[in-house]
Amino acid sequence: MELPSAPSAAVLEFCARDHGLLIDGAWVEGRGRAIDVENPSTEQLLATVRAGSSEDVDRAVGAARAALVGEWGRISPAERGKCLFRLADLMEGAALELA
């Protein structure tokens, strides 16, 4: 499979948006260092994103633990697995766009 040499319009549009961290169902700006995202074949800067800080990680882990007390935790492990495999299939189908 030949990979495109330039990012598609959809990728460029995605990269132009503000990105954050999904923590406890809300998008928040990471409080860690800035990370430049570059096209590895051209070194073109596509986006700059913020990494999560240790505090962001603590909040995310706390939210994940709390989620297991809620609806997600009431779903059987087998059903959760099916959901995750479905997500993996969707990601695989969009692998070029995600890459």
Side-chain angles (χ1 to χ4, degrees):
M1 173 189 316
E2 185 177 327
L3 295 176
S5 61
S8 70
V11 169
L12 292 174
E13 178 187 332
F14 175 80
C15 290
R17 296 185 211 143
D18 287 336
H19 297 281
L21 308 172
L22 183 59
I23 298 177
D24 201 16
W27 289 100
V28 299
E29 185 173 336
R31 293 180 282 182
R33 67 181 175 86
I35 301 172
D36 288 338
V37 179
E38 297 178 347
N39 178 336
S41 64
T42 65
E43 297 182 354
Q44 172 191 10
L45 179 65
L46 299 174
T48 300
V49 298
R50 287 245 167 235
S53 66
S54 59
E55 293 85 8
D56 293 326
V57 173
D58 289 343
R59 287 180 47 224
V61 169
R65 285 188 176 135
L68 287 177
V69 175
E71 184 176 345
W72 184 250
R74 290 190 293 273
I75 299 172
S76 74
E79 286 300 313
R80 288 196 304 259
K82 286 180 188 177
C83 289
L84 294 174
F85 278 117
R86 174 71 178 130
L87 175 61
D89 288 342
L90 291 170
M91 291 174 70
E92 187 174 298
L96 286 178
E97 288 297 313
L98 292 171

